[in-house]
Amino acid sequence: MDLLDIIQAIILGIVQGATEFLPISSSAHLVIVPYLIGVNYSDLAFDTLLHIATLVAVIGYFRVEVVDILKGFFSSLLDIPQGTFSDGIKNDPIKRLSWFIIIGSIPAGLMGVFFKDFFEGLFNNLPAVGSLLIVTGFILWGSEIIYGRFSRKRVFDNMNLADVLLVGFAQGCAIMPGISRSGATIATGLSLGFEREFMARYSFLLSIPAIFGASLVQLKDIMGGFHFETQSFTLGFIAATVSGYLAIKYFLKFIKTKNLVLFSWYCWIIGGLTLLISLL
Protein backbone atom coordinates (compact mmCIF):
# COMPACT_ATOMS: atom_id res chain seq x y z
CA MET A 1 0.00 0.00 0.00
CA ASP A 2 1.55 3.28 -1.17
CA LEU A 3 1.24 6.00 1.50
CA LEU A 4 1.63 8.71 -1.17
CA ASP A 5 -1.31 7.31 -3.14
CA ILE A 6 -3.43 7.29 0.02
CA ILE A 7 -2.59 10.91 0.86
CA GLN A 8 -3.24 12.02 -2.71
CA ALA A 9 -6.56 10.17 -2.83
CA ILE A 10 -7.71 11.72 0.46
CA ILE A 11 -6.69 15.21 -0.70
CA LEU A 12 -8.58 14.79 -3.97
CA GLY A 13 -11.58 13.41 -2.09
CA ILE A 14 -11.69 16.38 0.27
CA VAL A 15 -11.28 18.81 -2.62
CA GLN A 16 -14.07 17.19 -4.66
CA GLY A 17 -16.49 16.97 -1.74
CA ALA A 18 -16.00 20.51 -0.46
CA THR A 19 -15.76 22.36 -3.77
CA GLU A 20 -18.73 20.54 -5.35
CA PHE A 21 -21.07 22.47 -3.06
CA LEU A 22 -19.13 25.65 -2.27
CA PRO A 23 -19.39 28.28 -5.04
CA ILE A 24 -15.76 27.93 -6.11
CA SER A 25 -15.90 25.25 -8.88
CA SER A 26 -14.98 21.67 -8.09
CA SER A 27 -13.94 21.01 -11.70
CA ALA A 28 -11.41 23.86 -11.57
CA HIS A 29 -9.93 22.59 -8.31
CA LEU A 30 -9.64 19.07 -9.71
CA VAL A 31 -7.53 20.56 -12.49
CA ILE A 32 -5.47 22.88 -10.29
CA VAL A 33 -4.86 20.74 -7.17
CA PRO A 34 -3.48 17.66 -9.03
CA TYR A 35 -1.18 20.02 -10.94
CA LEU A 36 0.11 21.52 -7.68
CA ILE A 37 0.64 18.20 -5.87
CA GLY A 38 2.13 16.49 -8.90
CA VAL A 39 -0.64 13.99 -9.59
CA ASN A 40 -1.43 12.88 -13.12
CA TYR A 41 -5.16 12.95 -12.46
CA SER A 42 -6.49 11.06 -15.46
CA ASP A 43 -8.18 8.15 -13.68
CA LEU A 44 -11.79 8.38 -14.89
CA ALA A 45 -12.82 5.53 -12.62
CA PHE A 46 -11.63 7.37 -9.52
CA ASP A 47 -13.17 10.62 -10.77
CA THR A 48 -16.51 8.85 -11.24
CA LEU A 49 -16.43 7.38 -7.74
CA LEU A 50 -15.67 10.78 -6.22
CA HIS A 51 -18.76 12.14 -7.96
CA ILE A 52 -20.80 9.23 -6.60
CA ALA A 53 -19.45 10.12 -3.15
CA THR A 54 -20.75 13.69 -3.47
CA LEU A 55 -24.07 12.27 -4.67
CA VAL A 56 -24.21 10.18 -1.49
CA ALA A 57 -23.43 13.31 0.54
CA VAL A 58 -26.19 15.48 -0.95
CA ILE A 59 -28.81 12.72 -0.85
CA GLY A 60 -27.79 11.92 2.71
CA TYR A 61 -28.15 15.52 3.81
CA PHE A 62 -31.48 16.08 2.04
CA ARG A 63 -32.78 12.55 2.58
CA VAL A 64 -36.16 13.71 3.93
CA GLU A 65 -36.69 16.17 1.08
CA VAL A 66 -35.54 13.61 -1.51
CA VAL A 67 -38.06 11.03 -0.29
CA ASP A 68 -40.84 13.65 -0.34
CA ILE A 69 -39.86 14.80 -3.83
CA LEU A 70 -39.86 11.23 -5.17
CA LYS A 71 -43.27 10.63 -3.61
CA GLY A 72 -44.54 13.88 -5.13
CA PHE A 73 -43.20 12.97 -8.57
CA PHE A 74 -44.79 9.50 -8.67
CA SER A 75 -48.00 10.88 -7.18
CA SER A 76 -48.15 13.46 -9.97
CA LEU A 77 -47.80 10.68 -12.54
CA LEU A 78 -50.82 8.98 -11.01
CA ASP A 79 -52.72 12.24 -11.49
CA ILE A 80 -52.37 11.98 -15.29
CA PRO A 81 -55.01 9.26 -15.87
CA GLN A 82 -57.38 11.15 -13.60
CA GLY A 83 -56.91 14.40 -15.50
CA THR A 84 -55.71 16.23 -12.38
CA PHE A 85 -52.03 16.56 -13.27
CA SER A 86 -52.10 20.36 -13.80
CA ASP A 87 -54.12 20.97 -10.65
CA GLY A 88 -51.76 18.77 -8.66
CA ILE A 89 -48.70 20.69 -9.87
CA LYS A 90 -50.43 23.99 -9.16
CA ASN A 91 -51.71 23.16 -5.69
CA ASP A 92 -49.04 20.82 -4.30
CA PRO A 93 -45.60 22.50 -3.83
CA ILE A 94 -43.81 19.14 -3.52
CA LYS A 95 -45.18 17.92 -6.83
CA ARG A 96 -44.25 21.26 -8.39
CA LEU A 97 -40.74 21.09 -6.93
CA SER A 98 -40.21 17.58 -8.31
CA TRP A 99 -41.00 18.76 -11.84
CA PHE A 100 -39.01 21.96 -11.46
CA ILE A 101 -35.96 19.86 -10.61
CA ILE A 102 -36.53 17.61 -13.63
CA ILE A 103 -37.12 20.51 -16.02
CA GLY A 104 -34.24 22.47 -14.52
CA SER A 105 -31.90 19.56 -15.26
CA ILE A 106 -32.70 19.45 -18.99
CA PRO A 107 -30.50 22.39 -20.11
CA ALA A 108 -27.37 20.90 -18.53
CA GLY A 109 -28.12 17.52 -20.09
CA LEU A 110 -28.54 19.00 -23.57
CA MET A 111 -25.45 21.19 -23.24
CA GLY A 112 -23.42 18.21 -22.06
CA VAL A 113 -24.48 16.19 -25.10
CA PHE A 114 -24.02 18.85 -27.77
CA PHE A 115 -20.90 20.59 -26.42
CA LYS A 116 -19.14 17.59 -24.85
CA ASP A 117 -15.93 17.89 -26.88
CA PHE A 118 -15.64 21.64 -26.26
CA PHE A 119 -16.10 21.28 -22.50
CA GLU A 120 -13.66 18.36 -22.26
CA GLY A 121 -11.02 20.36 -24.11
CA LEU A 122 -11.11 23.06 -21.43
CA PHE A 123 -10.00 20.59 -18.75
CA ASN A 124 -6.54 20.52 -20.34
CA ASN A 125 -6.35 24.31 -20.61
CA LEU A 126 -5.02 25.81 -17.37
CA PRO A 127 -5.28 29.46 -18.54
CA ALA A 128 -8.93 28.88 -19.45
CA VAL A 129 -9.62 27.38 -16.01
CA GLY A 130 -8.04 30.37 -14.29
CA SER A 131 -9.94 32.82 -16.48
CA LEU A 132 -13.26 31.09 -15.85
CA LEU A 133 -12.64 31.15 -12.10
CA ILE A 134 -12.26 34.91 -12.35
CA VAL A 135 -15.53 35.00 -14.30
CA THR A 136 -17.20 33.04 -11.49
CA GLY A 137 -15.97 35.67 -9.04
CA PHE A 138 -17.66 38.41 -11.06
CA ILE A 139 -20.85 36.34 -11.38
CA LEU A 140 -21.05 36.01 -7.59
CA TRP A 141 -20.18 39.66 -6.99
CA GLY A 142 -22.63 40.92 -9.61
CA SER A 143 -25.47 38.78 -8.28
CA GLU A 144 -25.08 40.35 -4.84
CA ILE A 145 -25.37 43.84 -6.31
CA ILE A 146 -28.55 42.90 -8.17
CA TYR A 147 -29.95 41.02 -5.16
CA GLY A 148 -29.57 44.09 -2.97
CA ARG A 149 -31.94 46.02 -5.21
CA PHE A 150 -34.90 43.75 -4.43
CA SER A 151 -36.83 45.23 -1.53
CA ARG A 152 -38.93 42.08 -1.23
CA LYS A 153 -37.32 38.69 -1.77
CA ARG A 154 -39.03 35.98 -3.79
CA VAL A 155 -39.74 32.47 -2.44
CA PHE A 156 -40.63 29.14 -4.00
CA ASP A 157 -44.29 30.06 -4.48
CA ASN A 158 -43.14 32.85 -6.82
CA MET A 159 -40.99 30.55 -8.97
CA ASN A 160 -42.09 29.98 -12.55
CA LEU A 161 -40.94 27.95 -15.54
CA ALA A 162 -38.78 30.76 -16.94
CA ASP A 163 -36.92 31.00 -13.60
CA VAL A 164 -36.36 27.25 -13.61
CA LEU A 165 -34.96 27.23 -17.14
CA LEU A 166 -32.65 30.18 -16.44
CA VAL A 167 -31.22 28.48 -13.37
CA GLY A 168 -30.95 25.25 -15.37
CA PHE A 169 -29.06 27.04 -18.13
CA ALA A 170 -26.65 28.43 -15.51
CA GLN A 171 -26.07 24.90 -14.27
CA GLY A 172 -25.33 23.81 -17.83
CA CYS A 173 -22.70 26.53 -18.25
CA ALA A 174 -21.00 25.19 -15.12
CA ILE A 175 -19.88 22.12 -17.05
CA MET A 176 -16.95 24.36 -17.97
CA PRO A 177 -14.13 23.97 -15.42
CA GLY A 178 -13.90 27.21 -13.49
CA ILE A 179 -17.60 28.06 -13.60
CA SER A 180 -19.01 26.93 -10.26
CA ARG A 181 -22.23 24.91 -10.53
CA SER A 182 -23.54 25.98 -7.14
CA GLY A 183 -22.21 29.48 -7.64
CA ALA A 184 -23.83 29.91 -11.06
CA THR A 185 -27.22 28.54 -9.98
CA ILE A 186 -27.36 30.42 -6.68
CA ALA A 187 -26.15 33.65 -8.32
CA THR A 188 -28.81 33.32 -11.02
CA GLY A 189 -31.46 32.82 -8.34
CA LEU A 190 -30.25 35.84 -6.38
CA SER A 191 -30.30 37.92 -9.56
CA LEU A 192 -33.93 36.89 -10.00
CA GLY A 193 -34.64 38.05 -6.45
CA PHE A 194 -35.00 34.70 -4.70
CA GLU A 195 -34.28 34.42 -0.98
CA ARG A 196 -30.75 33.22 -0.21
CA GLU A 197 -31.33 30.07 1.80
CA PHE A 198 -34.11 28.81 -0.49
CA MET A 199 -31.91 29.30 -3.54
CA ALA A 200 -29.01 27.43 -1.95
CA ARG A 201 -31.25 24.50 -1.02
CA TYR A 202 -32.81 24.45 -4.49
CA SER A 203 -29.33 24.53 -6.05
CA PHE A 204 -28.21 21.53 -4.01
CA LEU A 205 -31.36 19.56 -4.83
CA LEU A 206 -30.92 20.45 -8.50
CA SER A 207 -27.39 19.04 -8.34
CA ILE A 208 -28.70 15.52 -7.66
CA PRO A 209 -29.83 14.72 -11.23
CA ALA A 210 -26.75 16.50 -12.63
CA ILE A 211 -24.28 14.52 -10.52
CA PHE A 212 -26.25 11.30 -11.04
CA GLY A 213 -26.30 11.82 -14.81
CA ALA A 214 -22.58 12.59 -15.00
CA SER A 215 -21.80 9.54 -12.86
CA LEU A 216 -24.05 7.33 -14.98
CA VAL A 217 -22.35 8.41 -18.19
CA GLN A 218 -18.94 7.56 -16.72
CA LEU A 219 -20.03 4.42 -14.90
CA LYS A 220 -18.43 2.18 -17.48
CA ASP A 221 -15.07 3.64 -16.49
CA ILE A 222 -15.35 2.02 -13.06
CA MET A 223 -14.79 -1.33 -14.74
CA GLY A 224 -11.66 -0.03 -16.41
CA GLY A 225 -9.50 -0.31 -13.31
CA PHE A 226 -8.13 2.21 -10.85
CA HIS A 227 -4.86 4.06 -10.75
CA PHE A 228 -5.20 4.05 -6.95
CA GLU A 229 -5.24 0.91 -4.81
CA THR A 230 -8.45 -0.24 -3.16
CA GLN A 231 -7.49 1.27 0.22
CA SER A 232 -6.70 4.61 -1.40
CA PHE A 233 -9.97 4.61 -3.33
CA THR A 234 -11.99 3.76 -0.22
CA LEU A 235 -10.44 6.54 1.85
CA GLY A 236 -10.84 9.02 -1.02
CA PHE A 237 -14.50 8.07 -1.35
CA ILE A 238 -15.07 8.53 2.40
CA ALA A 239 -13.20 11.86 2.38
CA ALA A 240 -15.36 13.16 -0.49
CA THR A 241 -18.59 12.03 1.18
CA VAL A 242 -17.75 13.57 4.56
CA SER A 243 -16.35 16.83 3.17
CA GLY A 244 -19.34 17.16 0.83
CA TYR A 245 -21.84 16.66 3.66
CA LEU A 246 -20.05 19.19 5.87
CA ALA A 247 -19.77 21.70 3.01
CA ILE A 248 -23.54 21.58 2.50
CA LYS A 249 -24.26 21.87 6.21
CA TYR A 250 -22.02 24.83 6.91
CA PHE A 251 -22.68 26.67 3.65
CA LEU A 252 -26.41 26.66 4.39
CA LYS A 253 -25.65 28.21 7.78
CA PHE A 254 -23.28 30.71 6.17
CA ILE A 255 -25.71 31.84 3.46
CA LYS A 256 -28.41 32.72 6.01
CA THR A 257 -26.50 35.75 7.23
CA LYS A 258 -23.58 36.28 4.84
CA ASN A 259 -23.25 37.09 1.15
CA LEU A 260 -21.17 35.56 -1.64
CA VAL A 261 -18.57 38.32 -1.95
CA LEU A 262 -16.09 36.35 0.18
CA PHE A 263 -16.18 33.59 -2.43
CA SER A 264 -15.77 36.19 -5.18
CA TRP A 265 -12.45 37.24 -3.69
CA TYR A 266 -11.40 33.60 -3.36
CA CYS A 267 -12.18 32.93 -7.03
CA TRP A 268 -10.35 36.06 -8.15
CA ILE A 269 -7.25 35.19 -6.12
CA ILE A 270 -7.11 31.52 -7.10
CA GLY A 271 -7.99 32.32 -10.70
CA GLY A 272 -5.26 34.96 -10.87
CA LEU A 273 -2.69 32.62 -9.32
CA THR A 274 -3.71 29.90 -11.77
CA LEU A 275 -3.14 32.24 -14.70
CA LEU A 276 0.25 33.20 -13.26
CA ILE A 277 1.26 29.54 -12.78
CA SER A 278 0.19 28.72 -16.35
CA LEU A 279 2.63 31.34 -17.65
CA LEU A 280 5.63 30.01 -15.72
Side-chain angles (χ1 to χ4, degrees):
M1 182 168 60
D2 191 326
L3 180 60
L4 182 60
D5 274 355
I6 290 176
I7 294 173
Q8 290 172 344
I10 291 174
I11 290 173
L12 292 174
I14 292 172
V15 168
Q16 167 62 31
T19 60
E20 180 67 45
F21 301 109
L22 298 179
I24 53 176
S25 180
S26 63
S27 54
H29 283 75
L30 286 179
V31 172
I32 297 167
V33 173
Y35 179 86
L36 293 177
I37 65 176
V39 178
N40 181 19
Y41 187 51
S42 59
D43 193 323
L44 291 177
F46 187 67
D47 177 77
T48 302
L49 266 295
L50 289 186
H51 277 85
I52 292 175
T54 56
L55 182 64
V56 170
V58 68
I59 291 177
Y61 189 88
F62 291 104
R63 55 193 177 278
V64 175
E65 290 92 334
V66 168
V67 171
D68 288 341
I69 289 168
L70 288 174
K71 287 180 179 178
F73 170 70
F74 288 112
S75 178
S76 70
L77 293 181
L78 295 176
D79 290 339
I80 296 175
Q82 302 175 32
T84 58
F85 177 79
S86 296
D87 289 339
I89 296 296
K90 181 179 179 180
N91 299 321
D92 188 328
I94 297 299
K95 291 179 181 179
R96 188 161 65 255
L97 177 59
S98 70
W99 282 97
F100 277 3
I101 290 174
I102 292 171
I103 295 170
S105 301
I106 293 173
L110 293 176
M111 293 170 74
V113 170
F114 289 108
F115 300 101
K116 180 175 182 290
D117 292 339
F118 170 73
F119 289 138
E120 288 183 348
L122 293 175
F123 282 84
N124 298 316
N125 189 331
L126 201 60
V129 173
S131 299
L132 289 170
L133 263 176
I134 293 173
V135 170
T136 290
F138 280 107
I139 290 172
L140 300 177
W141 175 74
S143 71
E144 288 292 351
I145 293 177
I146 297 172
Y147 181 74
R149 295 179 179 176
F150 288 88
S151 58
R152 184 174 181 180
K153 311 308 180 188
R154 299 171 68 191
V155 293
F156 178 64
D157 288 343
N158 308 128
M159 194 174 225
N160 57 46
L161 188 58
D163 298 323
V164 171
L165 290 174
L166 283 171
V167 174
F169 176 75
Q171 178 167 260
C173 292
I175 299 175
M176 292 184 285
I179 301 296
S180 165
R181 192 209 60 80
S182 63
T185 51
I186 294 172
T188 300
L190 294 183
S191 298
L192 293 169
F194 285 100
E195 189 269 336
R196 291 180 185 281
E197 186 182 4
F198 158 70
M199 205 57 230
R201 297 181 77 88
Y202 178 73
S203 170
F204 292 148
L205 289 170
L206 188 63
S207 76
I208 293 175
I211 299 172
F212 178 77
S215 300
L216 196 63
V217 169
Q218 296 179 328
L219 199 57
K220 64 181 185 300
D221 297 316
I222 295 178
M223 305 307 296
F226 295 93
H227 168 71
F228 294 104
E229 296 181 359
T230 303
Q231 298 93 331
S232 302
F233 150 71
T234 302
L235 292 173
F237 182 90
I238 293 171
T241 303
V242 173
S243 63
Y245 188 94
L246 293 175
I248 295 170
K249 178 180 178 180
Y250 289 107
F251 182 74
L252 287 174
K253 289 183 178 180
F254 174 91
I255 202 69
K256 287 181 180 179
T257 57
K258 303 292 193 302
N259 62 40
L260 299 176
V261 174
L262 174 65
F263 295 102
S264 295
W265 282 103
Y266 177 89
C267 290
W268 289 331
I269 292 170
I270 299 301
L273 290 174
T274 301
L275 284 176
L276 182 62
I277 290 171
S278 68
L279 297 175
L280 298 177

